[in-house]
Amino acid sequence: MDSLSSQKQTLSEEIQCSSCLNLFTDPVSTPCEHNFCKNCLNQCWNNSQTYNCPFCKETFSKRPDLKINTALKQNKSEVLCDICDDIKMKALKMCLVCQSSYCETHLEPHHRAPNLKKHKLIDPVEDLEDYFCQKHEKPLELFCRDDQMCVCLLCAVTNHRNHNTVAVEEESKERWSQLLDMQTDVQQMIQDRIKKIQDIKKTASEKEKEDCTELFTDLMRSIERCQSELLEMMEQKQKAAGKQAEELIKELEQEITELKRRDTELEQLSHTEDHLHLLQIFPSLIRPKFTSSWSEISISDTQLSVETLRKALIQLQETLDEKLSRTVMKRMQQYAVDVTLDPETAYPKLILSDDRKQVTSADFDIVLRDNPERFNFCSLVLAKEGFSTGRFYFEVQVEGKTDWDLGVARESINRKGMISESPDNGYWVVVMRDGNQYRARESPSVPLSLRMKPQVVGVFVDYEEGLVSFYDVEARSHMYSFTGQSFTEKLYPLFSPDSKKGGKNLAPLIILPVS
């Protein structure tokens, strides 16, 4: 195949649907910019649970809206066979000599009979008059380059006798070449403009770097001035250290008195049955507000006394925190529920234990019956039990894992395709990634700073109060709470062991029994 023929084939392929291999009918474009007949694409997606491009296989999170590609649309009517009697079949070719259209069956004599094989056949057209000379009623077989028009053989020897005439096929080949050259020019113009955009972005980036350098220089100068002012301020503070010592000791004694009052209050709370009141005042109890930051104060003459009081203060605070955490965990565990995994919702690469208490990830798809409840793209599984009132609590062992998702989800969540975990989408979830990165799936996500790596995570839900809280059970510490939520349908515990991460994330998620 020569270069021109190859280019003509390429251009033809660009106006053909890669699904049915015919010229486009109502052509539409996918988000990945591949083109198909509208009917071909709809048939493909109507028979599938996922939506991906039939050409490049790119998957879309939801079914894209299809719009007609007007640049590729062909306004071509269907031409029928002139010979068929009862049911008219679609014409395959038209004969310029016979001036008739033929289906595949009735075209056969033109391929077999010697006198008919000499006839000129063209692709079917709706208006055959455009292919005949209106004066001589002969086929337009020649092209006059002087007058830039198609002519018949009689025209060529009369009105165009001394003109430069060539066969229509030859001129068409020349025009194809010009068209391909034009296409090459257009593509080059596109590349030139893409490069121009890149140049503009590069120039803007370099200008931004220059501005940042200048800003950094100014910042360093400001820091140097602040350091000088800070040294001067510290010298003044040291001169006033003696007088300050008595005031600091007095403040520390007042705070110790306040902490003892809190200790008494906690002792009273440990015997109360008012669970809601306990949860409401929990944030104010766990973080007492002090008036001073003692770690930043150093007074030479009274250093020993202040340091002794500070250590006693810290020890007392740790004791109170431990007592409060123990009380809160004990109250929440009263609402523990027996939770089991629902195999009808499990992603096909998840393995559930026989008792439905453990879930791990597999390297292969497990053959499962597809149903509306099953997640088909994200590695998730729900609990069998759902809750639409009151309070409930469950604990999950996450020891040995580098990645996991835990939380609750409402019954009507989307379970097909890509999923974005957030309260707006019906998910209240905390995740761990890469062994030490914890985030609450808010919109946007909130990074969590934890003092230690949880081995067991407790999840507490108060349906009426719109509260979902997460706790490190062993450390008896609060991780995060979604507050002020509005629940209107069943909530189901949600679990994800994530993928194996190259063998680093093999441990299962284990739902612990109610104790």
Side-chain angles (χ1 to χ4, degrees):
M1 181 182 294
D2 59 26
S3 175
L4 181 59
S5 298
S6 176
Q7 289 177 316
K8 288 174 68 176
Q9 180 179 350
T10 301
L11 190 59
S12 297
E13 291 173 353
E14 292 179 356
I15 60 174
Q16 289 180 343
C17 173
S18 59
S19 180
C20 65
L21 302 180
N22 292 322
L23 293 179
F24 286 115
T25 302
D26 291 335
V28 293
S29 299
T30 61
C32 54
E33 300 184 355
H34 292 123
N35 304 305
F36 303 91
C37 296
K38 184 177 181 180
N39 187 52
C40 293
L41 201 53
N42 280 333
Q43 287 183 355
C44 176
W45 287 348
N46 289 342
N47 298 324
S48 175
Q49 295 292 331
T50 59
Y51 308 114
N52 50 29
C53 173
F55 186 81
C56 69
K57 307 305 180 185
E58 180 177 343
T59 300
F60 312 115
S61 58
K62 63 179 183 178
R63 184 165 182 160
D65 295 329
L66 300 179
K67 295 182 179 180
I68 298 297
N69 187 330
T70 55
L72 293 175
K73 187 174 182 181
Q74 304 290 314
N75 296 316
K76 185 176 180 179
S77 302
E78 188 175 80
V79 178
L80 302 179
C81 178
D82 292 328
I83 311 301
C84 291
D85 292 329
D86 297 330
I87 301 176
K88 293 285 187 179
M89 302 299 293
K90 182 179 179 180
L92 183 63
K93 292 290 183 180
M94 297 187 78
C95 177
L96 292 180
V97 177
C98 303
Q99 298 188 27
S100 297
S101 57
Y102 300 97
C103 65
E104 184 176 8
T105 300
H106 292 117
L107 183 64
E108 190 272 336
H110 278 75
H111 295 311
R112 175 176 46 80
N115 59 324
L116 295 179
K117 290 174 68 175
K118 297 178 181 179
H119 290 189
K120 186 172 183 61
L121 300 176
I122 63 171
D123 290 333
V125 293
E126 189 175 17
D127 190 359
L128 195 59
E129 292 182 359
D130 294 340
Y131 290 78
F132 282 83
C133 175
Q134 298 300 312
K135 182 177 180 180
H136 302 108
E137 296 184 356
K138 298 291 184 181
L140 298 172
E141 300 182 67
L142 301 174
F143 182 81
C144 177
R145 289 178 171 173
D146 292 340
D147 295 332
Q148 290 292 298
M149 61 183 296
C150 293
V151 297
C152 69
L153 292 174
L154 289 178
C155 288
V157 298
T158 55
N159 297 341
H160 301 267
R161 181 172 55 187
N162 297 321
H163 292 183
N164 180 14
T165 57
V166 296
V168 168
E169 290 80 1
E170 182 179 344
E171 183 64 20
S172 176
K173 185 176 180 180
E174 179 65 27
R175 295 296 174 92
W176 265 106
S177 179
Q178 294 175 8
L179 180 62
L180 293 171
D181 290 341
M182 186 185 303
Q183 184 185 31
T184 302
D185 292 341
V186 170
Q187 292 174 350
Q188 184 60 48
M189 291 170 66
I190 293 172
Q191 294 301 319
D192 291 344
R193 280 150 182 75
I194 292 175
K195 186 177 183 302
K196 186 64 175 178
I197 291 174
Q198 293 172 344
D199 291 343
I200 292 173
K201 289 182 177 179
K202 182 179 179 181
T203 301
S205 177
E206 291 175 351
K207 181 65 169 63
E208 185 178 356
K209 288 180 181 178
E210 292 177 1
D211 293 343
C212 288
T213 302
E214 184 177 348
L215 180 62
F216 180 74
T217 302
D218 292 340
L219 180 61
M220 290 301 297
R221 291 172 181 166
S222 298
I223 291 174
E224 290 173 358
R225 288 196 299 270
C226 290
Q227 286 177 335
S228 177
E229 294 172 0
L230 182 61
L231 288 173
E232 183 178 351
M233 187 184 301
M234 289 177 64
E235 290 176 358
Q236 294 175 355
K237 285 184 177 292
Q238 286 175 352
K239 293 178 181 179
K243 182 180 178 180
Q244 208 173 16
E246 291 183 6
E247 297 176 357
L248 296 177
I249 292 172
K250 185 178 179 180
E251 289 182 29
L252 282 165
E253 290 173 343
Q254 290 175 347
E255 290 179 6
I256 290 174
T257 300
E258 172 64 19
L259 287 170
K260 288 181 178 179
R261 185 190 67 78
R262 289 177 181 272
D263 185 29
T264 302
E265 185 176 354
L266 282 173
E267 182 64 29
Q268 294 173 351
L269 284 172
S270 65
H271 301 290
T272 183
E273 294 297 326
D274 192 347
H275 309 314
L276 180 59
H277 176 63
L278 175 61
L279 292 174
Q280 288 174 336
I281 68 172
F282 174 69
S284 62
L285 289 175
I286 199 170
R287 295 188 181 89
K289 295 182 179 179
F290 297 123
T291 57
S292 304
S293 179
W294 307 111
S295 61
E296 298 176 0
I297 297 174
S298 175
I299 302 173
S300 57
D301 293 341
T302 58
Q303 181 68 42
L304 181 60
S305 299
V306 173
E307 184 67 15
T308 301
L309 287 172
R310 188 180 70 81
K311 288 181 178 179
L313 185 64
I314 292 174
Q315 185 176 1
L316 181 56
Q317 177 63 56
E318 290 176 349
T319 301
L320 294 178
D321 286 347
E322 173 70 14
K323 186 179 293 186
L324 177 60
S325 298
R326 186 164 54 248
T327 301
V328 171
M329 291 299 299
K330 183 178 179 180
R331 295 296 184 194
M332 287 191 306
Q333 288 170 342
Q334 291 180 355
Y335 300 101
V337 293
D338 187 22
V339 174
T340 55
L341 301 170
D342 184 2
E344 294 298 312
T345 67
Y347 176 62
K349 284 190 177 180
L350 294 182
I351 301 175
L352 309 187
S353 62
D354 292 339
D355 62 357
R356 303 289 189 261
K357 291 289 187 179
Q358 300 186 29
V359 55
T360 54
S361 199
D363 291 326
F364 51 89
D365 281 347
I366 301 168
V367 179
L368 297 172
R369 179 178 64 88
D370 193 14
N371 56 65
E373 293 78 27
R374 190 178 306 285
F375 295 94
N376 70 345
F377 191 82
C378 294
S379 182
L380 296 170
V381 59
L382 297 179
K384 187 75 173 177
E385 299 77 17
F387 306 87
S388 57
T389 186
R391 305 179 180 115
F392 63 95
Y393 173 84
F394 59 96
E395 295 179 350
V396 182
Q397 180 177 312
V398 296
E399 183 179 1
K401 297 195 66 60
T402 63
D403 299 73
W404 50 257
D405 296 23
L406 287 176
V408 295
R410 66 184 179 216
E411 187 172 21
S412 64
I413 53 171
N414 173 39
R415 310 183 189 198
K416 306 300 181 183
M418 183 68 72
I419 290 172
S420 176
E421 295 173 334
S422 71
D424 291 342
N425 295 326
Y427 294 83
W428 293 267
V429 174
V430 165
V431 306
M432 180 179 76
R433 295 290 182 266
D434 301 325
N436 59 5
Q437 297 180 20
Y438 299 87
R439 302 188 76 87
R441 292 298 198 194
E442 292 272 15
S443 296
S445 292
V446 177
L448 306 181
S449 178
L450 306 181
R451 287 182 298 178
M452 56 189 301
K453 185 175 182 178
Q455 304 300 309
V456 177
V457 175
V459 183
F460 174 79
V461 177
D462 188 325
Y463 192 96
E464 280 72 20
E465 288 298 317
L467 174 70
V468 182
S469 296
F470 298 80
Y471 294 86
D472 181 341
V473 176
E474 293 183 357
R476 291 191 287 272
S477 62
H478 175 251
M479 295 171 61
Y480 188 78
S481 288
F482 295 88
T483 60
Q485 306 298 307
S486 179
F487 304 134
T488 58
E489 56 188 273
K490 272 190 178 182
L491 298 179
Y492 289 82
L494 174 145
F495 312 85
S496 172
D498 213 290
S499 63
K500 290 188 175 182
K501 303 295 182 181
K504 298 179 181 179
N505 192 37
L506 301 177
L509 287 179
I510 303 175
I511 302 173
L512 297 184
V514 176
S515 59

